[in-house]
């Protein structure tokens, strides 16, 4: 709204100095500005009102549940409902206390243990969450959601064999669970088993050809293996999410690995358009130009890269090399010295200083 008021004041000043403006035009501008101001105010009021109404609903629901609990203090379901509401509001300590009470009054309900595990996981208490998920599964052996969440927990804490075992159990009874195939693929990827990972991600696409994450993983894995099919997967991912800087970056890197440098530069340019502070994109642009002997362009890219990320040691080293190519010995030395002074173990920078007579 402040912008519109400033604009309005500007119009008034102009009308004083430039009498050739027609009165009718000034009135129209004034009316338009006031209309914009009023609409902006209404929008802000509506946004604030909506947020206030939602907050009031949440508070009212919790108050109602609290009043119901006072009347029925041994009703497990009431504690579960209020705990779930607290969890949604990220009031985790209160949520956990309520879920413990729900379990105290109804320990045989697997859903209560499942929800307790979710809360504990959100609190970064992974060992406690693991036990709660396991209890939910013991009470309900076919509790697929609990198995899925526990498998994801095992993936995060890098217990990959345990995660895969659970996922295989899920897939045995539900062969259409795309998330199970995907997480299995991520486990296999982390374990270095790229062939099995590729098969798992391809299974996801058999069930859902528009799964962006599976397309991305296949593109990345196949790029690493030098397979030309990577391009098609990454292009499909871009079509699904045209503003995905990750997808453009992955395809740019594929082109770079294949020596298709113009295509790579175009995709890196798109990454930078989407994320002007993407240091990795600038660094790779610098590498492409350096390898092509375009040292001024490379120097420009490495310099921006360092501006975006001053801890990027490789960029200092490559800027040093580029200065050497351009005959800027002193500037090269300054870049190598930044690396050495940082304490990072970087033998190439030390050797460069020796080569230039500064060690």
């Amino acid at each position: 709204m402040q912008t519109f008021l400033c604009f309005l004041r500007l119009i008034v000043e102009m009308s004083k100095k430039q009498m050739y403006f027609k009165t009718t035009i000034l009135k129209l501008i004034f009316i338009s500005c006031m209309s914009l101001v009023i609409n902006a105010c209404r929008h802000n009021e509506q946004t604030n009102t909506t947020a206030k109404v939602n907050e009031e609903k949440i508070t009212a629901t919790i108050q109602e549940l609290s009043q119901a609990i006072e009347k029925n203090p041994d009703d497990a379901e009431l504690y579960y409902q209020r705990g779930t509401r607290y969890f949604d509001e990220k009031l985790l300590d209160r949520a956990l206390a309520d879920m413990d009470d729900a379990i105290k009054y109804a320990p045989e309900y697997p859903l209560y243990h499942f929800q307790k595990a979710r809360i504990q996981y959100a609190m970064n208490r992974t060992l406690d969450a693991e036990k709660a998920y396991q209890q939910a599964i013991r009470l309900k052996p076919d509790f697929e959601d609990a198995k899925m969440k526990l498998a994801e927990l095992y993936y995060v804490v890098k217990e990959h064999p345990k995660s895969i075992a659970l996922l295989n159990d899920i897939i045995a009874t539900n062969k259409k669970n795309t998330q199970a195939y995907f997480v299995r693929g991520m486990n296999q990827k982390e374990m270095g088993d790229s062939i099995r990972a590729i098969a798992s991600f391809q299974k996801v696409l058999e069930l859902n050809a528009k799964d962006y994450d599976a397309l991305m993983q296949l593109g990345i894995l196949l790029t690493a293996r030098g397979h030309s099919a990577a391009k098609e997967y990454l292009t499909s991912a871009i079509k699904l999410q045209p503003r995905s800087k990750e997808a453009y970056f992955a395809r740019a890197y594929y082109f770079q690995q294949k020596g298709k440098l113009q295509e790579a530069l175009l995709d890196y340019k798109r990454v930078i358009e989407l994320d002007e502070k993407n240091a990795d994109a600038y660094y790779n642009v610098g590498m492409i130009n350096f390898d092509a002997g375009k040292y001024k362009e490379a120097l420009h890219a490495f310099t921006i890269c360092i501006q975006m990320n001053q801890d990027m040691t490789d960029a200092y080293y490559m800027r040093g090399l580029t200065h050497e190519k351009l005959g800027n010995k002193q500037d090269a030395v300054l870049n190598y010295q930044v690396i050495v002074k940082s304490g990072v173990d970087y033998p190439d920078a030390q050797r460069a200083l020796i080569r230039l007579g500064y060690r």
Side-chain angles (χ1 to χ4, degrees), residues 3-173:
T3 303
F4 293 123
L5 291 174
C6 291
F7 180 61
L8 184 57
R9 285 195 293 269
L10 177 63
I11 293 298
V12 172
E13 290 297 320
M14 289 174 62
S15 67
K16 291 178 180 178
K17 295 178 181 179
Q18 300 179 11
M19 299 303 295
Y20 57 84
F21 275 106
K22 298 291 185 181
T23 302
T24 304
I25 294 175
L26 285 172
K27 286 181 179 179
L28 288 172
I29 293 173
F30 179 83
I31 292 168
S32 298
C33 289
M34 288 305 298
S35 176
L36 288 171
V37 170
I38 291 168
N39 287 334
C41 291
R42 285 176 177 170
H43 176 74
N44 289 336
E45 287 174 2
Q46 289 172 353
T47 301
N48 293 335
T49 300
T50 301
K52 186 176 180 181
V53 168
N54 289 337
E55 184 178 349
E56 288 174 352
K57 283 182 179 179
I58 291 164
T59 303
T61 301
I62 290 174
Q63 288 177 345
E64 289 172 6
L65 288 167
S66 297
Q67 291 169 0
I69 288 170
E70 286 180 11
K71 296 177 182 178
N72 302 281
D74 57 351
D75 189 327
E77 183 63 19
L78 291 174
Y79 288 107
Y80 168 77
Q81 290 180 17
R82 189 175 69 175
T84 299
R85 179 64 70 177
Y86 280 138
F87 177 61
D88 292 340
E89 294 305 305
K90 296 180 174 56
L91 299 170
L92 301 181
D93 289 332
R94 295 183 184 183
L96 184 58
D98 271 354
M99 220 52 62
D100 280 334
D101 282 333
I103 291 169
K104 179 174 71 175
Y105 292 112
E108 73 283 2
Y109 273 59
L111 184 59
Y112 298 167
H113 295 276
F114 174 77
Q115 190 72 337
K116 179 179 179 178
R118 291 182 66 210
I119 296 166
Q120 290 171 324
Y121 184 81
M123 299 171 80
N124 202 29
R125 293 169 53 177
T126 53
L127 288 175
D128 292 330
E130 176 190 9
K131 292 175 183 176
Y133 281 133
Q134 288 173 340
Q135 180 61 14
I137 294 166
R138 276 193 289 270
L139 292 168
K140 191 176 187 295
D142 62 344
F143 199 161
E144 186 172 306
D145 286 344
K147 290 180 180 179
M148 194 69 236
K149 288 293 184 184
L150 182 55
E152 290 172 356
L153 184 154
Y154 283 141
Y155 167 73
V156 169
V157 299
K158 300 188 182 301
E159 294 194 40
H160 302 300
K162 286 185 179 180
S163 182
I164 289 173
L166 269 173
L167 294 164
N168 285 338
D169 185 44
I170 293 169
I171 291 167
T173 56

Side-chain angles (χ1 to χ4, degrees), residues 272-287:
I272 292 166
E273 288 172 354
L274 294 167
D275 178 13
E276 62 183 12
K277 294 185 178 181
N278 194 305
D280 291 326
Y282 282 111
Y283 179 81
N284 285 1
V285 168
M287 289 300 300

